[in-house]
């Protein structure tokens, strides 16, 4: 295990040069303090978890100190925001500090979000507030614990530096880890600015660093696009199966790696609602829960457009058409698991659709806890308990009858069924109100709640002693929190 000072850097993206990113030093925040760190994320860099307790740790991740081999860069990109093209985005408040190579030879980007002004800050102040930094931290580590592809978060540092949003808040930084910070919007930038040589260079960089199996294909860029489609189909299937609402699926927030990226006003569904809009600023519901599927495909089409100088249109179209069937196959597989079905039957899709319709109609079925409870007892016994949450009880009874009959065609004991289901259905869910309570405590200088919440959520499938309050249904007020974009 390593000390913080022993990290090894190899800054491949920085070497692409000034057409791709600009050298910018972090602007430190005052009186830095560690709010929360993730030992699991530290392990990705081979860091000794005890390092988080050192004073230098908070200083480094608050912009006060830098490794001599780090090369902080602000990346340039553009993208489609709410359907309209914005030609000038880029890292307005985050810096790629460098790429760290761990003992296993894996590369991890160190990205410090909230690090101050850059050439792409536009009207912004280059800062991130404590609440949004904590939200990004909690979600990154929680989605990972659910086995949903995501960027990671190493730590959050807080400070006494004031920032103005709707009110006075304090500045914070979150250290994000990802194997790449290249977004769809990076490709769009070079395409729309007619820098097609740089577009190719970016494509070659991404192939060499992140898609080595595509690089050896007869048409590497076509293979790359197809793999991005495949990865996103798998990603969105996970979001839909687990009730995750991203909230701002602009093409600049979509990762080329097919990981969940750039957390904003996200939410996990409490009561199931296919039309849920978690982003208070999304009046039309463009990024509503159920729209995430067509929007992902829309974003992939935007990426495909940017790749037209490198790949034949017909090939791009053919790959794009793979998205929906692949998404459906992944989604069906995940939902079968959540329902405890290890075999596949033709009627399974209908069974899932009917269940979601019943939940929708009822309006008060906790999406996550339904699946957890479903595994607790044998099907015939448990459906009698679950039916109380549904408005149309006779419709639920009809569904329950089909489900019990279907479950009876599975092999194995109830004990095995419970183990199987509990391994995929979390007991603990990152609910907005839980995050909010931890944030309010942190804003008052008490970091114990956010640390405890993070620790509980890092093992979401295992019942943990004394943590019952994190497993409860949310209170009514907790279901209607409005999370704004201004962070
Ligand atoms: P987001 O909505 O966080 O995905 O950000 C969209 C764009 O706005 C990106 O280019 C960000 O870097 C930039 N941005 C967001 N917040 C700030 C801020 N406080 N200061 C400067 N740029 C920002
Ligand atoms: Mg963004």
């Amino acid at each position: 295990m390593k000390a913080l000072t022993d990290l090894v850097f190899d800054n491949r993206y920085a070497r692409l040069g000034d057409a791709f990113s600009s050298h910018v030093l972090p602007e430190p925040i005052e009186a830095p303090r560690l709010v929360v760190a993730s030992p699991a994320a530290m392990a990705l860099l081979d860091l000794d978890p005890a390092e988080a307790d050192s004073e230098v740790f908070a200083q480094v991740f608050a912009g006060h100190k830098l490794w001599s081999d780090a090369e902080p860069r602000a990346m340039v990109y553009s993208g489609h925001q709410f359907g309209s093209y914005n030609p000038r985005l880029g890292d307005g408040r985050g810096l790629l500090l460098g790429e760290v190579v761990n003992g296993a030879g894996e590369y991890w980007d160190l990205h410090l979000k909230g690090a101050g002004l850059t050439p792409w800050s536009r009207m912004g102040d280059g800062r991130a507030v404590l609440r949004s930094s904590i939200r990004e931290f909690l979600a990154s580590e929680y989605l990972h614990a659910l086995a949903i592809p995501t960027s990671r978060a190493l730590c959050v540092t807080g400070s006494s530096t004031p920032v103005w949003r709707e009110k006075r808040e304090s500045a914070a930084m979150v250290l994000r880890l990802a194997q790449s910070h290249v977004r769809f919007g990076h490709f769009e930038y070079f395409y729309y600015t007619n820098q097609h040589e740089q577009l190719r260079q970016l494509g070659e960089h991404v192939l060499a660093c992140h898609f080595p199996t595509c690089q050896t294909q007869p048409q590497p860029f076509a293979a790359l696009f197809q793999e991005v489609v495949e990865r996103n189909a798998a990603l969105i299937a996970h979001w839909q199966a687990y009730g995750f609402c991203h909230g701002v699926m602009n093409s600049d927030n979509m990762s080329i790696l097919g990981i969940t990226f750039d957390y904003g006003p996200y939410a996990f569904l409490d009561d199931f609602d296919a039309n849920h809009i978690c982003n208070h600023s999304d009046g039309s519901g463009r990024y509503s829960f159920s729209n995430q599927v067509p929007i992902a495909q829309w974003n992939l089409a935007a990426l495909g457009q940017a790749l037209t100088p490198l790949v034949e249109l017909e090939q791009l179209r053919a790959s794009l058409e793979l998205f929906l069937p692949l998404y459906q196959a992944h989604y069906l597989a995940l939902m079968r698991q959540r329902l405890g079905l290890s075999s596949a039957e033709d009627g399974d899709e209908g069974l899932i659709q009917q269940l979601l319709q019943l939940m929708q109609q009822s309006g008060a079925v906790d999406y996550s806890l339904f699946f957890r409870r479903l595994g607790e007892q044998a099907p015939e016994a448990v459906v009698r308990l679950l039916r109380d949450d549904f408005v149309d009880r006779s419709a639920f009874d009809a569904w329950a009858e089909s489900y019990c009959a279907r479950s009876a065609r599975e092999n194995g004991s109830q004990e095995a069924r419970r183990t199987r289901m509990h391994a995929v259905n979390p007991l603990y869910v990152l609910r907005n109100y839980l995050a909010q309570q931890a944030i309010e405590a942190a804003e008052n200088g008490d970091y114990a709640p956010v640390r405890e919440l993070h620790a509980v959520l890092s093992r979401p499938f295992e019942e943990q002693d004394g943590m019952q309050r994190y497993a409860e249904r949310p209170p009514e007020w907790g279901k209607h929190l409005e999370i704004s974009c201004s962070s």
Side-chain angles (χ1 to χ4, degrees), residues 77 89-93 121-122 124-127 165 253 262:
Y77 55 84
L89 291 166
D91 288 332
R93 55 164 165 174
S121 297
R122 297 178 294 159
D125 57 6
R127 292 302 186 197
R165 294 297 181 258
N253 291 339
D262 255 15

Side-chain angles (χ1 to χ4, degrees), residues 21 54 95 99 165 204 253 314 336 360 392 408 445 459:
S21 63
S54 70
L95 295 175
E99 294 171 62
R165 294 297 181 258
E204 280 166 359
N253 291 339
E314 276 320 304
R336 275 197 182 107
Q360 182 77 32
D392 186 346
R459 292 185 290 135

Side-chain angles (χ1 to χ4, degrees), residues 202-235:
L202 178 69
E204 280 166 359
H205 168 86
V206 166
L207 277 169
C209 297
H210 309 292
F211 293 84
T213 54
C214 297
Q215 203 184 17
T216 53
Q217 297 290 307
Q219 292 175 300
F221 292 124
L224 170 67
F225 183 65
Q226 181 166 328
E227 189 164 337
V228 177
V229 170
E230 289 167 3
R231 289 190 189 196
N232 273 281
L235 175 68

Side-chain angles (χ1 to χ4, degrees), residues 77 113 183 252-253 261-262:
Y77 55 84
K113 193 164 174 178
R183 308 148 187 260
D252 52 296
N253 291 339
F261 199 69
D262 255 15

